[in-house]
Amino acid sequence: MKQKVTMHINNKTIHATTENHPIFTYLKEENRPVILEERNGHEYYAKFPSISSTDTPFVSEIKAGDITWFEGWHALSIATKDVSIAPHTVNYLGHIEEELDLTTAKIQLEVADIENS
């Protein structure tokens, strides 16, 4: 099932169409911003407690704006540029609709709303 997620990134409202994944519910229920840190020049990510993944597609080609989940680290990631991580894969969760200008070492992420579609 797809869902529409409204998030705040550095106090800017953004939208994404995502797979139904428990990380979004977790973030909404936490009701507080999470800090994602820049990593390897192509993504922002944060580790979380063990959150069981749902059946989401695996990808190794990631596009700027993609939201992914790496089960091995329990990590949520937002890509800032296109990158290939082959032969490795991550769970594809969705894509941010707005263009992001992330020129900081850290971003503040908060899930404001989830609407099932």
Side-chain angles (χ1 to χ4, degrees):
M1 175 189 329
K2 298 284 186 187
Q3 56 189 12
K4 296 288 274 181
V5 178
T6 303
M7 298 179 263
H8 302 298
I9 292 183
N10 293 347
N11 298 317
K12 178 181 177 185
T13 300
I14 60 147
H15 304 88
T17 300
T18 70
E19 300 290 333
N20 185 4
H21 191 277
I23 187 61
F24 299 111
T25 302
Y26 172 85
L27 289 170
K28 185 169 183 345
E29 289 173 354
E30 282 291 299
N31 197 27
R32 64 180 174 84
V34 172
I35 301 298
L36 279 71
E37 297 186 2
E38 191 277 330
R39 182 171 182 268
N40 294 334
H42 66 81
E43 68 179 336
Y44 284 83
Y45 87 109
K47 291 183 181 182
F48 293 91
S50 179
I51 296 174
S52 296
S53 181
T54 57
D55 187 25
T56 56
F58 286 94
V59 296
S60 58
E61 301 298 321
I62 301 167
K63 303 291 183 203
D66 282 356
I67 304 168
T68 60
W69 177 258
F70 178 55
E71 187 71 29
W73 287 359
H74 308 290
L76 179 73
S77 174
I78 299 174
T80 57
K81 61 172 88 170
D82 296 354
V83 64
S84 174
I85 60 168
H88 307 288
T89 61
V90 292
N91 293 89
Y92 175 81
L93 300 186
H95 190 81
I96 293 172
E97 296 170 6
E98 292 82 3
E99 188 171 318
L100 292 177
D101 179 23
L102 300 173
T103 56
T104 180
K106 297 180 182 184
I107 64 171
Q108 182 176 298
L109 170 72
E110 183 176 14
V111 172
D113 190 38
I114 301 171
E115 179 183 323
N116 292 325
S117 55

